[in-house]
Amino acid sequence: MKIFNSLGSNYNFRSLLVGFANIFKPDKGLKLKRLLEKKYSGKVTFYYKGREAIEVALRSIGVDSGFVAINGLTCFVVEKAVLNSGQGCVYLDIGNDLNFSIESLRKSVSSNNKIRAVIIQNTLGVPINAREVKKICADNKLVLIEDLAHSVGSVYADGSIAGTVGDFVALSFSQDKIIDAVSGGALITRNKKYQNRVNNIETKKIPITWLIRDILYPFFTYTIRKLYFLNIGKIIHRLLKQLNLLSTPVDFSTTGLHHLPRWYLSMAYDYVVNLDPDITHRKALAKIYSLNLDPKVLAKDINTKLSLSTNVRFPIFVSNRKKLIRHLAQNGIFISDTWYDYPVAPLKYNKLSGYKIGTCPNAEKLSETILNLPTHRNMSENDAIRISKIINKWINIQ
């Protein structure tokens, strides 16, 4: 089978069986809730999207309109969650570890007294200095939200697990994430003073068409990947997209807040109970990339944190990214869905974003060169070695 970064990358034939079986199995939502509450020491509520969890956290703060400090290299859904809550965004420029620098946070907080909250995202699983962020938040009475969409299982420098520092923790169960239930998310409210406010925020049901489309997503994507070498997979992929039958993680037709049906909870539970081997596998692949790739494409600040990271993907940096993407595709490796091709990505949404060019120069520079490599469960160690060799050979002939 071809290698993909996305397109149902976490699913295999067993996943299809589990997915269809979960339609009929008893609800595992309570079990999942207990597991997450124990792991992150807070009260759990579930939503159809991870960004809805962030929006609920910000709504529950209960302040007049202000600003939320977010990473200068992020996804538009994070910005959208902030805007939907009635707040505005302050974009913090990043260091070479892809997280905002402590200096940029301090500078923004000291110059803007309307900042109400800070969101850290541990980009691609690389942990930020969370304790220093927490201290700044405490000194300035700011709410701290840990967005673990990339970083379930990552560890901070002081040994604490990501998700055990903030007032809130947001999880994503979206496609190609470490916990992959096609869609969904969770909010863990760790600060007790916000629990009642979170519980009082109303949600609605999702349309049955969304549920059916998501249930079919693992089957559709597995079929596409299996048949890609015959070009039949490409045709099926194009047709399903045209008919709007293929779920996408960034979909703004899903307005409002929605509670999460039991099928997604059962899917997420199966991932959570198997997190340890999955995390070990991702770490092993990241280490292979780190040891085998030409140092010219690696970032030192990311490599030094490798033992602490749980890489949802492994980032490299190349000046002629499009050429490398095409070269890898010729070798059956499809990784064109770059995280991130713009400071507030994807680039196609830049006209909807409030981000202004020049705000985060380092984020802009790195977004032009970053490319990330797969670490998902269907990748073998030999696959990672092969990808590394192909990239190294390509670099040497440029």
Side-chain angles (χ1 to χ4, degrees):
M1 188 183 286
K2 307 292 187 181
I3 296 172
F4 294 82
N5 241 346
S6 57
L7 200 60
S9 58
N10 286 319
Y11 313 134
N12 53 29
F13 186 70
R14 181 184 175 278
S15 305
L16 307 189
L17 299 179
V18 170
F20 285 123
N22 279 334
I23 298 173
F24 308 102
K25 284 185 177 180
D27 187 357
K28 297 177 185 175
L30 184 58
K31 290 182 178 180
L32 177 62
K33 185 176 182 180
R34 287 171 177 168
L35 279 176
L36 295 177
E37 288 184 342
K38 182 179 180 181
K39 185 176 182 67
Y40 297 113
S41 301
K43 293 297 181 181
V44 172
T45 46
F46 296 110
Y47 304 94
Y48 181 63
K49 293 288 184 181
R51 64 176 178 264
E52 293 181 16
I54 295 174
E55 180 182 339
V56 169
L58 292 172
R59 283 192 184 189
S60 72
I61 295 172
V63 296
D64 296 332
S65 61
F67 292 91
V68 179
I70 66 173
N71 209 56
L73 190 70
T74 192
C75 182
F76 181 60
V77 299
V78 177
E79 179 184 307
K80 187 68 172 172
V82 173
L83 298 178
N84 287 348
S85 74
Q87 312 296 311
C89 291
V90 172
Y91 311 92
L92 305 178
D93 204 5
I94 61 172
N96 291 332
D97 68 348
L98 305 180
N99 293 304
F100 64 74
S101 66
I102 300 302
E103 180 184 354
S104 65
L105 176 61
R106 282 202 185 101
K107 184 177 178 180
S108 292
V109 169
S110 64
S111 63
N112 188 342
N113 61 8
K114 291 188 176 181
I115 293 177
R116 311 298 191 205
V118 177
I119 300 175
I120 57 178
Q121 69 180 24
N122 303 311
T123 310
L124 297 179
V126 182
I128 196 171
N129 186 342
R131 287 295 172 185
E132 192 63 32
V133 175
K134 183 177 177 66
K135 184 177 185 304
I136 294 171
C137 288
D139 291 345
N140 293 275
K141 297 181 180 179
L142 308 177
V143 172
L144 177 56
I145 300 171
E146 294 177 84
D147 178 4
L148 301 193
H150 295 182
S151 54
V152 173
S154 293
V155 178
Y156 296 127
D158 65 354
S160 58
I161 298 171
T164 59
V165 173
D167 297 287
F168 296 95
V169 178
L171 298 177
S172 173
F173 304 154
S174 188
Q175 305 159 19
D176 311 312
K177 299 294 176 55
I178 294 174
I179 303 173
D180 187 335
V182 182
S183 193
L187 178 66
I188 298 96
T189 307
R190 289 172 34 82
N191 189 325
K192 293 181 180 179
K193 75 177 184 178
Y194 299 117
Q195 285 175 4
N196 286 337
R197 297 178 189 174
V198 168
N199 293 336
N200 289 333
I201 294 175
E202 294 184 357
T203 58
K204 57 186 178 182
K205 291 182 178 180
I206 65 168
I208 188 65
T209 52
W210 296 1
L211 175 60
I212 294 171
R213 187 176 58 181
D214 288 344
I215 289 174
L216 291 173
Y217 180 81
F219 171 74
F220 284 153
T221 52
Y222 179 77
T223 303
I224 291 167
R225 289 184 288 116
K226 269 290 189 182
L227 299 176
Y228 218 78
F229 73 102
L230 294 173
N231 283 330
I232 299 173
K234 293 181 182 180
I235 296 170
I236 296 172
H237 188 196
R238 190 179 304 115
L239 181 62
L240 290 172
K241 288 179 71 174
Q242 289 175 348
L243 296 174
N244 197 30
L245 293 176
L246 204 62
S247 298
T248 58
V250 183
D251 180 2
F252 297 112
S253 64
T254 60
T255 56
L257 301 171
H258 308 82
H259 51 261
L260 195 61
R262 67 178 184 86
W263 181 80
Y264 303 93
L265 298 173
S266 295
M267 293 288 285
Y269 175 81
D270 291 336
Y271 274 84
V272 172
V273 295
N274 290 294
L275 269 181
D276 287 345
D278 199 17
I279 288 170
T280 299
H281 176 69
R282 289 179 184 273
K283 285 179 173 290
L285 295 182
K287 187 174 182 180
I288 287 171
Y289 289 134
S290 175
L291 293 175
N292 287 275
L293 283 166
D294 190 313
K296 291 195 291 287
V297 304
L298 301 175
K300 182 180 178 182
D301 290 352
I302 292 173
N303 261 18
T304 56
K305 294 183 177 182
L306 204 61
S307 63
L308 304 175
S309 307
T310 300
N311 295 92
V312 67
R313 295 182 180 183
F314 185 85
I316 62 172
F317 302 87
V318 292
S319 57
N320 38 9
R321 180 171 62 197
K322 289 183 179 179
K323 287 185 178 180
L324 178 53
I325 289 172
R326 285 196 297 268
H327 180 72
L328 289 169
Q330 290 166 3
N331 288 272
I333 302 158
F334 300 93
I335 58 172
S336 61
D337 57 325
T338 305
W339 294 355
Y340 299 94
D341 61 352
Y342 189 72
V344 181
L347 177 60
K348 66 181 179 180
Y349 290 117
N350 70 317
K351 292 182 179 179
L352 299 177
S353 172
Y355 180 83
K356 303 298 182 185
I357 292 293
T359 304
C360 299
N362 205 38
E364 291 167 19
K365 179 182 175 182
L366 291 177
S367 69
E368 293 176 353
T369 61
I370 190 171
L371 183 64
N372 30 74
L373 306 178
T375 62
H376 53 74
R377 53 175 58 182
N378 287 321
M379 276 280 297
S380 70
E381 295 187 4
N382 285 336
D383 289 333
I385 292 170
R386 175 173 168 253
I387 290 173
S388 299
K389 288 180 177 178
I390 292 171
I391 292 173
N392 289 342
K393 186 176 180 180
W394 179 83
I395 290 170
N396 290 330
I397 62 175
Q398 295 306 299

Short mmCIF file of all heavy atoms in Angstrom, two decimals, residues 53 56-58 60-61 143-147 163 165-170 187-191 194-195 198:
data_model
loop_
_atom_site.label_atom_id
_atom_site.label_comp_id
_atom_site.label_asym_id
_atom_site.label_seq_id
_atom_site.Cartn_x
_atom_site.Cartn_y
_atom_site.Cartn_z
N ALA A 53 -14.73 22.38 21.73
CA ALA A 53 -14.26 22.29 23.11
C ALA A 53 -13.52 23.57 23.51
O ALA A 53 -13.72 24.10 24.61
CB ALA A 53 -13.34 21.08 23.27
N VAL A 56 -16.09 26.39 23.96
CA VAL A 56 -16.82 26.27 25.24
C VAL A 56 -15.95 26.75 26.39
O VAL A 56 -16.42 27.46 27.30
CB VAL A 56 -17.28 24.82 25.46
CG1 VAL A 56 -17.79 24.62 26.89
CG2 VAL A 56 -18.37 24.44 24.46
N ALA A 57 -14.69 26.37 26.39
CA ALA A 57 -13.78 26.81 27.45
C ALA A 57 -13.73 28.34 27.51
O ALA A 57 -13.84 28.93 28.59
CB ALA A 57 -12.38 26.25 27.21
N LEU A 58 -13.62 28.98 26.36
CA LEU A 58 -13.53 30.44 26.33
C LEU A 58 -14.85 31.09 26.71
O LEU A 58 -14.88 32.13 27.39
CB LEU A 58 -13.08 30.90 24.95
CG LEU A 58 -11.63 30.52 24.59
CD1 LEU A 58 -11.34 30.84 23.13
CD2 LEU A 58 -10.64 31.24 25.49
N SER A 60 -16.97 29.91 28.78
CA SER A 60 -17.22 29.69 30.22
C SER A 60 -16.43 30.63 31.11
O SER A 60 -16.72 30.76 32.29
CB SER A 60 -16.88 28.24 30.59
OG SER A 60 -15.48 28.03 30.58
N ILE A 61 -15.42 31.29 30.53
CA ILE A 61 -14.64 32.24 31.32
C ILE A 61 -15.52 33.38 31.81
O ILE A 61 -15.33 33.94 32.89
CB ILE A 61 -13.44 32.78 30.50
CG1 ILE A 61 -12.47 31.64 30.19
CG2 ILE A 61 -12.73 33.89 31.25
CD1 ILE A 61 -11.37 32.03 29.22
N VAL A 143 -6.40 32.86 31.94
CA VAL A 143 -6.81 31.45 31.86
C VAL A 143 -5.87 30.73 30.89
O VAL A 143 -5.55 31.25 29.82
CB VAL A 143 -8.27 31.33 31.40
CG1 VAL A 143 -8.63 29.87 31.11
CG2 VAL A 143 -9.19 31.92 32.45
N LEU A 144 -5.43 29.53 31.27
CA LEU A 144 -4.53 28.75 30.43
C LEU A 144 -5.26 27.53 29.89
O LEU A 144 -5.83 26.73 30.64
CB LEU A 144 -3.31 28.30 31.24
CG LEU A 144 -2.29 27.40 30.51
CD1 LEU A 144 -1.78 28.08 29.25
CD2 LEU A 144 -1.15 27.03 31.44
N ILE A 145 -5.24 27.40 28.56
CA ILE A 145 -5.86 26.27 27.88
C ILE A 145 -4.77 25.47 27.17
O ILE A 145 -4.00 26.02 26.38
CB ILE A 145 -6.91 26.73 26.85
CG1 ILE A 145 -8.02 27.54 27.53
CG2 ILE A 145 -7.50 25.54 26.09
CD1 ILE A 145 -8.97 28.21 26.56
N GLU A 146 -4.72 24.18 27.46
CA GLU A 146 -3.79 23.29 26.76
C GLU A 146 -4.56 22.58 25.64
O GLU A 146 -5.45 21.78 25.90
CB GLU A 146 -3.20 22.26 27.71
CG GLU A 146 -2.32 22.83 28.79
CD GLU A 146 -1.84 21.74 29.75
OE1 GLU A 146 -0.84 21.07 29.45
OE2 GLU A 146 -2.49 21.55 30.80
N ASP A 147 -4.17 22.89 24.41
CA ASP A 147 -4.77 22.23 23.25
C ASP A 147 -3.87 21.04 22.89
O ASP A 147 -2.77 21.21 22.39
CB ASP A 147 -4.86 23.23 22.09
CG ASP A 147 -5.41 22.61 20.82
OD1 ASP A 147 -5.80 21.43 20.84
OD2 ASP A 147 -5.43 23.31 19.79
N GLY A 163 -1.26 18.34 29.52
CA GLY A 163 -2.66 18.21 29.91
C GLY A 163 -2.86 18.25 31.42
O GLY A 163 -3.99 18.09 31.89
N VAL A 165 -1.47 20.92 33.38
CA VAL A 165 -0.97 22.22 33.80
C VAL A 165 -2.04 23.30 33.73
O VAL A 165 -2.11 24.18 34.59
CB VAL A 165 0.25 22.62 32.93
CG1 VAL A 165 0.69 24.06 33.24
CG2 VAL A 165 1.41 21.66 33.14
N GLY A 166 -2.90 23.26 32.71
CA GLY A 166 -3.83 24.34 32.44
C GLY A 166 -5.12 24.31 33.24
O GLY A 166 -5.43 23.34 33.95
N ASP A 167 -5.91 25.38 33.09
CA ASP A 167 -7.26 25.43 33.65
C ASP A 167 -8.19 24.52 32.86
O ASP A 167 -9.13 23.95 33.41
CB ASP A 167 -7.79 26.86 33.60
CG ASP A 167 -6.97 27.81 34.44
OD1 ASP A 167 -7.07 27.74 35.68
OD2 ASP A 167 -6.22 28.63 33.86
N PHE A 168 -7.91 24.43 31.55
CA PHE A 168 -8.68 23.56 30.65
C PHE A 168 -7.72 22.75 29.79
O PHE A 168 -6.60 23.20 29.50
CB PHE A 168 -9.57 24.39 29.71
CG PHE A 168 -10.64 25.20 30.37
CD1 PHE A 168 -10.43 26.53 30.70
CD2 PHE A 168 -11.88 24.63 30.64
CE1 PHE A 168 -11.43 27.29 31.28
CE2 PHE A 168 -12.89 25.38 31.23
CZ PHE A 168 -12.67 26.71 31.56
N VAL A 169 -8.19 21.61 29.34
CA VAL A 169 -7.48 20.80 28.35
C VAL A 169 -8.47 20.47 27.24
O VAL A 169 -9.59 20.03 27.50
CB VAL A 169 -6.95 19.49 28.96
CG1 VAL A 169 -6.25 18.65 27.90
CG2 VAL A 169 -6.00 19.78 30.12
N ALA A 170 -8.06 20.72 25.99
CA ALA A 170 -8.90 20.37 24.84
C ALA A 170 -8.25 19.24 24.06
O ALA A 170 -7.06 19.28 23.77
CB ALA A 170 -9.08 21.59 23.93
N LEU A 187 -13.44 18.35 26.24
CA LEU A 187 -12.95 19.44 27.08
C LEU A 187 -12.83 18.90 28.49
O LEU A 187 -13.80 18.37 29.04
CB LEU A 187 -13.90 20.63 27.06
CG LEU A 187 -13.50 21.82 27.95
CD1 LEU A 187 -12.21 22.45 27.45
CD2 LEU A 187 -14.62 22.86 28.01
N ILE A 188 -11.64 19.02 29.06
CA ILE A 188 -11.44 18.65 30.46
C ILE A 188 -11.32 19.95 31.25
O ILE A 188 -10.40 20.75 31.03
CB ILE A 188 -10.18 17.78 30.67
CG1 ILE A 188 -10.31 16.46 29.90
CG2 ILE A 188 -10.00 17.48 32.15
CD1 ILE A 188 -9.67 16.44 28.57
N THR A 189 -12.26 20.19 32.13
CA THR A 189 -12.26 21.39 32.95
C THR A 189 -11.55 21.07 34.26
O THR A 189 -12.08 20.38 35.12
CB THR A 189 -13.70 21.87 33.22
OG1 THR A 189 -14.39 22.00 31.98
CG2 THR A 189 -13.71 23.20 33.96
N ARG A 190 -10.33 21.58 34.39
CA ARG A 190 -9.51 21.28 35.57
C ARG A 190 -9.71 22.31 36.68
O ARG A 190 -9.53 21.99 37.85
CB ARG A 190 -8.03 21.22 35.15
CG ARG A 190 -7.68 20.00 34.32
CD ARG A 190 -6.28 20.05 33.74
NE ARG A 190 -5.31 20.69 34.57
CZ ARG A 190 -4.66 20.11 35.59
NH1 ARG A 190 -4.91 18.83 35.89
NH2 ARG A 190 -3.79 20.78 36.32
N ASN A 191 -10.09 23.52 36.32
CA ASN A 191 -10.35 24.56 37.30
C ASN A 191 -11.83 24.48 37.70
O ASN A 191 -12.72 24.75 36.90
CB ASN A 191 -10.02 25.94 36.72
CG ASN A 191 -10.06 27.04 37.76
OD1 ASN A 191 -10.87 27.01 38.69
ND2 ASN A 191 -9.19 28.02 37.61
N TYR A 194 -15.04 26.83 36.90
CA TYR A 194 -15.67 26.92 35.58
C TYR A 194 -16.58 25.73 35.26
O TYR A 194 -17.24 25.73 34.22
CB TYR A 194 -14.59 27.02 34.49
CG TYR A 194 -13.71 28.25 34.64
CD1 TYR A 194 -12.35 28.11 34.88
CD2 TYR A 194 -14.24 29.53 34.52
CE1 TYR A 194 -11.53 29.22 35.01
CE2 TYR A 194 -13.43 30.64 34.67
CZ TYR A 194 -12.08 30.48 34.92
OH TYR A 194 -11.28 31.59 35.05
N GLN A 195 -16.65 24.74 36.12
CA GLN A 195 -17.36 23.51 35.78
C GLN A 195 -18.85 23.74 35.55
O GLN A 195 -19.43 23.23 34.58
CB GLN A 195 -17.14 22.46 36.88
CG GLN A 195 -15.75 21.84 36.83
CD GLN A 195 -15.48 20.88 37.97
OE1 GLN A 195 -16.36 20.60 38.78
NE2 GLN A 195 -14.26 20.39 38.05
N VAL A 198 -19.51 25.50 32.21
CA VAL A 198 -19.37 24.59 31.08
C VAL A 198 -20.62 23.73 30.94
O VAL A 198 -21.16 23.55 29.84
CB VAL A 198 -18.12 23.69 31.25
CG1 VAL A 198 -18.13 22.55 30.23
CG2 VAL A 198 -16.85 24.51 31.09
#
